[in-house]
Amino acid sequence: MMKLISKAIVAGAMALALQAAPASAQSIEWTTGQLGGGWYGMGGGLATLIMEKTDLDIKVVPGGGKDNPMKIQAGLSQIGMGLDFLSFAAVNGKDPYTSKNDKVMALGQGWSDNPFHFLRAKEGTKDFKEAITGEGLRIGVNKTGSSDELTFVRVMEHYGTSYDEIRAKGGKIIQGNPSDLVNAFKDGQIDYIFLALGLPGAAFVEVSQSRRDAELVSIPADVIDYLNTTYGYAKGSIAANTYDASIQSGEVAAPVMGTMIIVSSELSDDTVYTMTKALLENQDRFGSIHASLAHFDPKTAWQTSIPMHPGALKAYEELGYK
């Protein structure tokens, strides 16, 4: 009889323990950027914030702008950092992707935007189109294969020109990192720079402090529209007073290479809603995670070039941003 009672007590205790034990946290993988890079630190900080506010368990792993959509499509990761125009290309199966990544959706955009800067020497009088299509263009762009350089190729495509044609017209193209381009500009080797940087870009701050007079020039609306509708770049500008008056006289129109947070369509609405709400309710902490996150605007973050996840949209709507 005592054994039966003991067994009953043990069984009851186990049942109570199981009822009291919390459900195991849902595990999610967040793919970011290179180890030590901006995206890696940014993703880690945002993931930590979400885990503090929810019962989600997020593992942050290195990745890259081109590969992250494919990792989500394959189910290797469920959330990731992405570039707007690459995410657009991935979803639509456009170059550099060979098939549609239809499981990729957005949690929002504007998580660290990089507007394209077009700088010209003040002794030059050519506007953007004249400079790109005219004779004797001497310009600096980022290294071959970079997002900046790919964008410049698309600008040339819009105007029906190419590197070969620029050179045939007596032009010169120097490719290198931002520091290389600034030095080439200061030394008079080039008269123009085309480069995407977060604001304020250190390269252009350096130019503003140099002896060579220069100015930032708006990129024409037709170019911005072309990049937006054809490739999914965001439209934007460089606000007045971002740089010293020596190189900027007012607001400068520009296409924007924006950072998106992308998520898998296979994540439940409730999970994505929980993550999105945790982020939106703690925007005051963004600047301490990464300085560029201080410019995040939830009122426009849901206006993405790829479909928003329904769970994310619910959070933006509930908090009055949509």
Side-chain angles (χ1 to χ4, degrees):
M1 182 67 176
M2 288 296 294
K3 288 183 178 180
L4 291 174
I5 293 173
S6 297
K7 288 181 179 179
I9 292 172
V10 171
M14 289 178 65
L16 287 172
L18 288 172
Q19 291 176 11
S24 59
Q26 180 179 359
S27 182
I28 296 171
E29 182 174 288
W30 188 324
T31 180
T32 56
Q34 296 178 3
L35 286 171
W39 272 7
Y40 190 79
M42 191 183 302
L46 294 174
T48 298
L49 190 158
I50 292 172
M51 288 190 287
E52 287 178 4
K53 303 298 178 180
T54 70
D55 62 356
L56 297 172
D57 179 29
I58 302 175
K59 178 184 178 183
V60 175
V61 298
K66 178 183 175 182
D67 293 340
N68 288 350
M70 295 187 290
K71 291 175 70 175
I72 287 177
Q73 181 71 17
L76 301 174
S77 301
Q78 293 74 46
I79 183 170
M81 310 303 293
L83 290 172
D84 51 5
F85 76 92
L86 281 176
S87 299
F88 178 85
V91 169
N92 291 283
K94 295 186 175 183
D95 185 56
Y97 302 93
T98 57
S99 61
K100 293 185 177 181
N101 292 262
D102 55 4
K103 295 180 182 178
V104 176
M105 304 189 83
L107 184 148
Q109 67 180 15
W111 311 84
S112 181
D113 286 343
N114 295 278
F116 285 88
H117 298 59
F118 185 69
L119 182 87
R120 72 179 178 193
K122 273 191 177 177
E123 62 263 28
T125 57
K126 294 180 179 179
D127 64 16
F128 186 86
K129 182 179 180 180
E130 290 173 332
I132 302 299
T133 61
E135 295 183 356
L137 171 67
R138 301 194 307 160
I139 191 168
V141 297
N142 214 328
K143 295 179 180 179
T144 300
S146 66
S147 299
D148 305 42
E149 192 268 341
L150 173 61
T151 306
F152 185 68
V153 169
R154 290 170 171 174
V155 170
M156 291 190 293
E157 171 188 282
H158 175 63
Y159 283 134
T161 189
S162 65
Y163 286 132
D164 287 342
E165 186 167 342
I166 288 172
R167 293 188 179 101
K169 292 181 177 180
K172 175 183 180 181
I173 301 101
I174 288 183
Q175 293 178 261
N177 62 41
S179 179
D180 294 332
L181 301 184
V182 168
N183 289 333
F185 183 86
K186 291 193 296 184
D187 292 344
Q189 299 177 51
I190 54 176
D191 303 315
Y192 302 88
I193 296 177
F194 181 84
L195 191 65
L197 289 176
L199 300 175
F204 297 101
V205 172
E206 184 177 348
V207 170
S208 72
Q209 298 168 349
S210 70
R211 294 182 178 180
R212 192 177 187 192
D213 291 338
E215 58 186 341
L216 288 169
V217 179
S218 285
I219 295 176
D222 63 301
V223 176
I224 296 174
D225 289 341
Y226 174 73
L227 293 174
N228 173 256
T229 58
T230 309
Y231 296 109
Y233 293 76
K235 297 180 179 182
S237 64
I238 300 170
N241 302 315
T242 299
Y243 297 100
D244 187 83
S246 62
I247 67 166
Q248 184 182 14
S249 59
E251 184 180 35
V252 177
V256 175
M257 188 167 64
T259 298
M260 305 179 76
I261 294 180
I262 51 179
V263 293
S264 171
S265 61
E266 295 185 343
L267 279 178
S268 72
D269 289 1
D270 286 345
T271 297
V272 179
Y273 165 80
T274 298
M275 290 193 296
T276 308
K277 187 176 181 183
L279 292 172
L280 295 179
E281 289 183 334
N282 292 277
Q283 295 173 56
D284 58 322
R285 292 177 55 181
F286 286 2
S288 63
I289 293 172
H290 195 280
S292 62
L293 288 174
H295 301 288
F296 174 75
D297 183 358
K299 293 179 181 177
T300 58
W302 55 272
Q303 299 172 4
T304 56
S305 57
I306 65 172
M308 283 284 290
H309 195 290
L313 274 179
K314 179 183 176 183
Y316 284 95
E317 291 172 347
E318 184 179 290
L319 295 173
Y321 296 122
K322 183 178 183 300

